Amino acid sequence: MHKLTYLESFCLSLFSRTISKKGATLYHIVTGKRTASILYNAQHYKLSSYFSLFPKLKREQFNYIIEKLDRLGLIKKAEVKEEYYLTEEGWLYCQQYFSDHTYPVHLNLLSNGTALKQFWRIILLITQVLSESRYHNSHYLPIEKEWEKQMWLKKWLKQQSKNKQELAEQFGKEWILLLKQLPSLNAELIVDCLSGHHKIGKTRQQLADSYQLDSFEIELLLLDSLSWIWKVIEEQQQEVPLFHSIYQAINKEYRGITQSAIVTESYLLEGHSLEETAKLRQLKFSTVSEHTIELYIVEPAFDLSLVLSEKDFNTVKQLLEEQPTIAYHEVVEKRPEILFLWYRLAQIERNHRNE
């Protein structure tokens, strides 16, 4: 068996035996480059869950990984320049490697990655504050230095009907309920990260040393555990009302959409067309079109009638159903009036149906 690091093995798993993928595109997906084309490719490749998974990964390091995987025969070049397939040997390696190592299955980072990270920071701070409250200790340094997070916590505490002692007890019970639904390793990892009275949460490297795992594997274990907790809170909100109140507030504040796309959406909701929105915002039509693509990829419930008629949309959908691999220039040859935006939105709708 080839000797690869956890990061190299995970990058290998992003390739497919049936669909060729460009290494540069994969890099932009896992580092979180938020353009319409990268967002679409993340969805098309079924890798939206891993969007911005490794935001600090250097391009040189990623290129080295791709070259190594190619040299070892775990991926092979496709006819299209800079695209690769996963080889049979590479597929077998992934099957064997991830039978003994973590592979995240609960992530949905494109839609909630930012919210999840903010949620974790708030949860860590609340846990510390309420733990110290249980021991009537007010002389400690908060683990969260950002002033906005501290103000967020003060506002949240004021909104609660219980005093701090009752709140701390209830919060602890909800923590136990959530942790009991995780595998033991995941639960232990979460607990090791928590700070409280006479307890300091471990760093990623300390966790890696403690569990004798690669630091990247620790990071993914933690993220996957948090995503699991996120889903439990969604599904069992009545059993964890305190956690759910935090989840609701964070989810509302961090939608997973860029601020500029949110502004474009507000104009559309006011009844402006895309052309009017572009003019009012002093942006190119292509820019507000990309905002629409971003909105529809991240939030499938986005109302497409805001940007095109049902008749026009059905026309493009019909063309895609007749010729699933039809390129846009071929569409235009048949129907010159069809915009690229309509074509892309129809592709995205098809991807949503196939997810």
Side-chain angles (χ1 to χ4, degrees), residues 274-314:
L274 278 174
E275 290 82 358
E276 291 169 341
T277 299
K279 186 175 180 180
L280 289 167
R281 295 202 62 200
Q282 297 183 322
L283 296 173
K284 294 179 180 179
F285 179 80
S286 60
T287 301
V288 293
S289 294
E290 288 196 353
H291 290 163
T292 303
I293 291 169
E294 178 185 351
L295 285 160
Y296 191 41
I297 288 175
V298 180
E299 298 182 350
F302 175 74
D303 186 1
L304 290 179
S305 67
L306 296 172
V307 294
L308 78 165
S309 70
E310 184 177 356
K311 179 182 178 182
D312 289 332
F313 190 52
N314 285 335

Side-chain angles (χ1 to χ4, degrees), residues 14 39 68 118 256:
L14 300 177
L39 291 175
K68 181 176 180 179
Q118 298 301 323

Side-chain angles (χ1 to χ4, degrees), residues 9-23 26 44-47 66 69 74-78 83-92 94-95 103:
S9 300
F10 187 85
C11 288
L12 175 63
S13 76
L14 300 177
F15 288 95
S16 166
R17 290 183 293 174
T18 56
I19 301 174
S20 62
K21 298 177 182 179
K22 187 174 288 188
L26 292 181
H44 178 62
Y45 288 168
K46 299 187 184 302
L47 296 176
I66 298 302
L69 299 178
L74 300 174
I75 58 175
K76 63 180 178 181
K77 288 183 179 178
E83 291 192 359
Y84 296 86
Y85 284 103
L86 181 68
T87 65
E88 185 69 18
E89 185 179 356
W91 182 82
L92 289 171
C94 287
Q95 297 301 304
Y103 200 86

Side-chain angles (χ1 to χ4, degrees), residues 122-132 171 175 194-197 243:
I122 288 291
I123 289 296
L124 288 174
L125 179 59
I126 292 176
T127 300
Q128 181 196 26
V129 169
L130 293 181
S131 173
E132 297 289 5
F171 196 72
W175 250 134
L194 303 179
S195 294
H197 190 65
F243 273 82

Side-chain angles (χ1 to χ4, degrees), residues 240-261:
V240 286
L242 294 179
F243 273 82
H244 187 255
S245 68
I246 301 164
Y247 158 85
Q248 274 188 311
I250 296 295
N251 208 23
K252 184 178 180 181
E253 189 173 352
Y254 299 95
R255 286 177 56 191
I257 306 290
T258 57
Q259 189 57 43
S260 191

Side-chain angles (χ1 to χ4, degrees), residues 7 10-11 14 23-33 38 42 47-58 62 109 117:
L7 177 60
F10 187 85
C11 288
L14 300 177
T25 301
L26 292 181
Y27 174 76
H28 291 314
I29 291 171
V30 297
T31 55
K33 184 178 181 181
I38 296 300
L47 296 176
S48 298
S49 297
Y50 309 126
F51 186 80
S52 196
L53 182 60
F54 303 124
K56 297 180 180 179
L57 182 63
K58 300 296 183 185
F62 186 82
L109 298 184
K117 291 173 184 176

